[in-house]
Amino acid sequence: MTTPLCADAPKGVSHASYHPKHAPPYKSFSSYVRARGPVLLRTARSLTANPSDAEDLLQTALTKTYVAWDRIEDHRALDGYVRRALVNTRTSQWRKRKVDEFACEELPEPAGLPAPDPAEEQVLHDAMWRAVMKLPDRQRAMVVLRYYEDLSEVQTAEVLGVSVGTVKSAVSRALGKLRQDPELVPVR
C-alpha cells in the first residue's frame, strides 16, 4: 500500500513523514548564505589554519543558525549570531581535541642554553656604547631616551621639546647608522 502524498509536501515526500517544520529551507536563509557566505568564510579561515577545516567550521555554524532561524528575532544581527556560532564551535572543537602524551626515557626538550659569557656581554656593551657615542648629539640623546631610559616617542619628544615625527625620523636614521657601524657587524 502506498502512502498518499501531501499537497504541501515537497515532491517525493510522503504525507506521513512530512511536517511543516521539515519544510524546504527558509528562502531568507538561503539568500543570506549566498550573500554573506564569502565574508563568513573569511572569518572561519581566521579561526583555523586549514582552509578545509574553515569550510567545515562554517558549515557547522550555518547548520546551528538554520536550526535557530525562526527563533532569531533580529535578522539584521545575523552576522554576529553566525560569528558567535563560529567562535563557540571552534572553541568546542579545541576543547574536545585529544592531546596524546607519552612517557619516554629521554626528555624531548633540549638542554637549556648555556649562560652567556659575562666577558662577551661586556665587550658587546662597550661596542654598543662606542657606536652610540659616534652619533650626532641630537640622535644620541633620542636613542638614549628611547632605548636606555625606555621612554615612549611622545615622552621623548616632550623631554627634548620636538615633535613626535622628529623623534621617529631621527631615531630611524640613528638606528640605520648603528646597523652600519663596523664594530657591531659581528653582533648581527
Side-chain angles (χ1 to χ4, degrees):
M1 172 175 156
T2 1
T3 312
L5 292 176
C6 176
D8 293 339
K11 196 171 193 169
V13 176
S14 69
H15 176 68
S17 65
Y18 180 72
H19 188 273
K21 75 175 189 179
H22 297 113
Y26 300 105
K27 288 183 181 181
S28 58
F29 178 78
S30 297
S31 62
Y32 170 74
V33 171
R34 265 187 254 104
R36 301 299 295 162
V39 173
L40 296 170
L41 183 57
R42 277 196 304 269
T43 302
R45 284 188 178 154
S46 70
L47 295 172
T48 63
N50 184 337
S52 298
D53 291 342
E55 291 172 2
D56 292 343
L57 178 63
L58 178 59
Q59 188 66 39
T60 303
L62 288 175
T63 301
K64 291 177 179 181
T65 304
Y66 178 78
V67 169
W69 191 256
D70 55 349
R71 292 187 320 250
I72 300 173
E73 294 175 12
D74 185 7
H75 281 229
R76 292 173 296 176
L78 283 171
D79 280 357
Y81 185 92
V82 176
R83 285 190 179 105
R84 175 52 52 196
L86 284 166
V87 170
N88 290 346
T89 303
R90 182 65 184 136
T91 302
S92 295
Q93 291 171 347
W94 179 79
R95 285 181 181 153
K96 291 177 186 174
R97 178 183 67 177
K98 184 178 179 184
V99 178
D100 293 324
E101 292 185 19
F102 301 100
C104 58
E105 291 180 26
E106 291 182 30
L107 292 175
E109 293 85 17
L113 296 174
D117 181 11
E120 288 180 15
E121 285 184 338
Q122 188 61 45
V123 168
L124 175 61
H125 183 266
D126 292 344
M128 181 59 79
W129 266 115
R130 282 192 302 276
V132 168
M133 294 306 289
K134 292 178 192 174
L135 294 172
D137 291 342
R138 188 172 172 173
Q139 288 180 358
R140 181 174 57 243
M142 291 183 190
V143 167
V144 168
L145 290 173
R146 282 285 291 128
Y147 298 105
Y148 286 93
E149 297 297 323
D150 202 27
L151 296 182
S152 69
E153 291 167 341
V154 173
Q155 292 168 327
T156 302
E158 287 174 3
V159 167
L160 296 175
V162 297
S163 71
V164 175
T166 301
V167 172
K168 288 181 180 183
S169 62
V171 168
S172 175
R173 284 192 301 274
L175 293 177
K177 288 179 184 178
L178 291 174
R179 285 186 195 101
Q180 300 303 319
D181 192 295
E183 281 190 72
L184 299 177
V185 172
V187 175
R188 286 187 239 147

